[in-house]
Amino acid sequence: MDNIAVRPERLAEEVSGLLTTLGVDSSALRGGTMQVRTPITGEIIAHLRETDRSDIAQRIGLAHAAFLAWRAVPAPRRGELVRLFGEELRAAKAELGRLVTIEAGKTLSEGLGEVQEMIDICDFAIGLSRQLYGLTMGSERPDHRLMEQWHPAGVVGVISAFNFPVAVWSWNAALALVCGDSVVWKPSEKTPLTALAVMALFERAAAKFDGAPKGLATFIIGGREAGEGLVDDARVAVVSATGSTAMGRIVGQRVAKRFGRSILELGGNNASIVCPSADIDLALRAIAFGAMGTAGQRCTTLRRLIVHESIYDLLVPRLKQVYASVSIGDPRDDDVLVGPLIDAAAYSGMQAALASAKAAGGIVHGGGRHDEALLPSAYYVRPALVEMPDQVGPVVEETFAPILYVLKYGEFDQAVRLQNGVPQGLSSSIFTTDMREADRFLSCLGSDCGIANVNMGPSGAEIGGAFGGEKDTGGGRESGSDAWKAYMRRMTSAVNYGTAMPLAQGVKFDIA
Ligand code: NAD
């Protein structure tokens, strides 16, 4: 087991300093019962107070009142508030990015990237605030106009996962705010501090805006039960929930029971196919980032590699070398590529999956823990590469850790069958220079995922496209393209500008 260098200074002090700079009153970090840890050392960095049920109901009430006022503000003006918020994010990028790194354990470059993603979605939403367009259709009745309008939906509840502690909220919130909705956020109990910081930055922006109602964007702190407070409240028109499929299965059904709307962004089990004509050097770089980046803790992480038998012995030994040498350690260090797992449960989940893969005939390379004695509460692992004889056991499940299962294929259609042969349907990719293979993969006969890429890995999406996946991934879409429609309600309207009263479909109903 090799050693890694983790700087031992007290992270609680650094966190407190960062939060103060970002506008959070440091008294919020003490006195509660909810422990917040940094995965870098495993130490406790705050004790937060959980929001109780009556407080949750009250904040939703406030958000609902804010919605009633906000919906009447012209959309481009609503975009102005998002612009001001984007400016706050630009000014605070370094501090917020570092806080993401400390709280979620991703590398500094990825922490900063997450804040950049927030800035990007704000820019997108500002433009969108002038493009919330409906359609007009040719009416079948003379002297009639038929049209479709989009109106604000109401309160949007956002439940987010630990691995994108702030970006996921911003994908939802930036769109919801320009669409005329208010937002109540339940961040992950593993990463609530970054949420406090983002809320403080939003308050700064709101203070510069003339006419932002109180409670327009607010938050609640807690775990599953706090989330349920949002899920079951009929005043919350849309629940956007990001997390595991197990969570989404419960949330989706509970929201549907009260005829609320949900946007579900759940687990993935993403694959890449490497074809005989692939550019191997390019593929290696993409596979390394896709499978090991964020320590395998992205919903779009590459988890299955489907390699043509003719290039298997060329690619896999090189991949093993990369896996054996990738730098693991303190994510604040520039030369580190793989930081820690989020917690002990993530580590034991990884070890259980590796044991089960071995039992199913897999050959495991890597996967061991580092510095257990030095850092008993921090979980640094060497990413694991597992050569599998078949797509069985843990390969069809999402284990939220850096494990890449490698499978061989002979015929192209077999590779596509393997790619689609899991319950999840988030992201996928193919490495090929054969245009027939590439286009077949993107066609309706190819990948069944919400995202399908060519000559790149499955992770690292841009905000311009709609983000989300099919099957057990939940079917939701967020971020770019026309994902905004999920935050609005559609109204179809017909206007009669004539003097007759014709009915559709030629129906007659003539009264004397
Ligand atoms: P998780 O499911 O444990 O928790 C996610 C959030 O749901 C947390 O805020 C949690 O408190 C809340 N929650 C859990 N049960 C709930 C319930 N019954 N009612 C209301 N809220 C509830 O997920 P995690 O460990 O934080 O994150 C990892 C998972 O998230 C992975 O499966 C990953 O693939 C997925 N994820 C998906 C996307 C996507 O866009 N598809 C993005 C990021 C993460």
Side-chain angles (χ1 to χ4, degrees):
M1 211 178 294
D2 21 10
N3 283 332
I4 50 161
V6 173
R7 295 200 304 276
E9 76 265 37
R10 296 203 45 211
L11 283 165
E13 279 162 27
E14 185 179 352
V15 166
S16 175
L18 284 170
L19 283 165
T20 305
T21 311
L22 291 162
V24 178
D25 183 347
S26 62
S27 67
L29 310 182
R30 294 187 295 272
T33 51
M34 196 170 110
Q35 294 181 345
V36 186
R37 291 175 185 272
T38 167
I40 296 178
T41 56
E43 74 192 79
I44 295 171
I45 48 175
H47 288 92
L48 295 193
R49 280 179 290 276
E50 294 193 36
T51 317
D52 65 32
R53 271 287 167 133
S54 67
D55 219 5
I56 291 173
Q58 194 246 330
R59 288 189 201 192
I60 294 172
L62 198 61
H64 191 259
F67 155 68
L68 296 179
W70 189 240
R71 65 182 174 174
V73 174
R77 176 99 187 107
R78 300 192 296 243
E80 170 62 10
L81 174 58
V82 174
R83 190 189 69 74
L84 290 168
F85 177 55
E87 291 300 312
E88 296 297 336
L89 289 171
R90 280 184 171 86
K93 183 176 173 184
E95 291 81 8
L96 184 57
R98 193 164 178 88
L99 192 63
V100 168
T101 289
I102 295 174
E103 198 178 31
K106 50 177 75 177
T107 62
L108 210 43
S109 146
E110 291 183 83
L112 293 169
E114 179 152 357
V115 183
Q116 186 56 47
E117 201 168 342
M118 300 176 80
I119 295 167
D120 293 345
I121 195 72
C122 285
D123 287 353
F124 179 91
I126 298 161
L128 178 68
S129 71
R130 291 183 184 271
Q131 299 174 74
L132 300 170
Y133 47 77
L135 298 169
T136 55
M137 303 85 169
S139 171
E140 67 183 65
R141 288 170 281 188
D143 297 340
H144 276 60
R145 180 153 67 91
L146 186 58
M147 63 179 175
E148 185 174 88
Q149 306 181 76
W150 292 90
H151 293 315
V155 179
V156 174
V158 178
I159 297 172
S160 56
F162 80 85
N163 65 325
F164 276 91
V166 286
V168 164
W169 172 82
S170 70
W171 297 350
N172 286 281
L175 298 199
L177 288 170
V178 299
C179 287
D181 304 323
S182 58
V183 184
V184 184
W185 181 13
K186 208 297 284 170
S188 166
E189 56 274 40
K190 295 173 190 171
T191 51
L193 299 180
T194 39
L196 295 186
V198 168
M199 287 287 95
L201 293 174
F202 183 81
E203 287 308 321
R204 276 185 192 167
K208 292 179 183 161
F209 181 87
D210 183 18
K214 199 168 174 325
L216 182 60
T218 181
F219 66 99
I220 55 181
I221 295 293
R224 174 191 173 132
E225 278 181 20
E228 287 170 354
L230 276 180
V231 166
D232 293 338
D233 195 311
R235 293 170 297 179
V236 180
V238 179
V239 174
S240 175
T242 299
S244 58
T245 294
M247 177 277 289
R249 219 180 280 289
I250 297 168
V251 167
Q253 290 182 28
R254 282 173 84 142
V255 175
K257 204 168 168 190
R258 61 171 177 85
F259 298 111
R261 245 196 270 158
S262 55
I263 302 169
L264 298 176
E265 298 281 349
L266 312 176
N269 187 358
N270 318 295
S272 290
I273 299 172
V274 191
C275 300
S277 68
D279 176 335
I280 298 289
D281 288 333
L282 178 148
L284 264 176
R285 288 199 298 275
I287 293 164
F289 170 66
M292 297 189 286
T294 329
Q297 299 171 114
R298 282 187 185 225
C299 52
T300 50
T301 288
L302 173 59
R303 306 202 181 278
R304 298 175 295 135
L305 192 66
I306 303 165
V307 184
H308 191 264
E309 57 197 11
S310 67
I311 52 164
Y312 192 94
D313 292 336
L314 186 69
L315 177 70
V316 177
R318 287 184 66 186
L319 206 50
K320 278 191 219 162
Q321 276 171 9
V322 175
Y323 265 66
S325 62
V326 71
S327 55
I328 301 157
D330 191 324
R332 294 170 297 165
D333 288 347
D334 285 343
D335 54 354
V336 161
L337 294 178
V338 179
L341 295 178
I342 189 72
D343 57 16
Y347 174 69
S348 48
M350 177 177 182
Q351 298 311 309
L354 292 177
S356 154
K358 251 186 207 162
I363 304 165
V364 177
H365 310 277
R369 184 172 169 194
H370 298 253
D371 272 343
E372 188 171 349
L374 255 171
L375 289 168
S377 307
Y379 298 87
Y380 291 86
V381 290
R382 181 150 294 280
L385 194 67
V386 185
E387 296 179 80
M388 288 300 290
D390 216 343
Q391 184 155 274
V392 290
V395 187
V396 297
E397 291 159 16
E398 181 198 48
T399 301
F400 217 55
I403 303 177
L404 179 62
Y405 300 107
V406 190
L407 300 153
K408 246 183 222 174
Y409 80 92
E411 298 299 321
F412 184 77
D413 287 347
Q414 182 201 358
V416 174
R417 272 199 304 278
L418 282 169
Q419 137 66 35
N420 294 344
V422 294
Q424 310 81 0
L426 180 52
S427 191
S428 58
S429 86
I430 189 166
F431 294 94
T432 181
T433 52
D434 177 334
M435 65 181 282
R436 282 192 183 138
E437 284 177 339
D439 266 312
R440 196 169 173 81
F441 182 73
L442 300 183
S443 79
C444 63
L445 304 173
S447 167
D448 64 0
C449 289
I451 299 168
N453 297 330
V454 176
N455 290 329
M456 52 195 287
S459 73
E462 299 175 22
I463 60 99
F467 182 92
E470 306 298 339
K471 305 193 293 188
D472 277 10
T473 305
R477 290 296 185 278
E478 286 172 352
S479 207
S481 182
D482 66 349
W484 60 270
K485 290 179 176 171
Y487 304 85
M488 302 200 85
R489 68 185 166 89
R490 186 193 307 240
M491 177 185 280
T492 301
S493 305
V495 177
N496 178 356
Y497 55 87
T499 52
M501 213 13 247
L503 298 176
Q505 296 90 41
V507 172
K508 296 280 178 226
F509 198 88
D510 294 328
I511 52 170

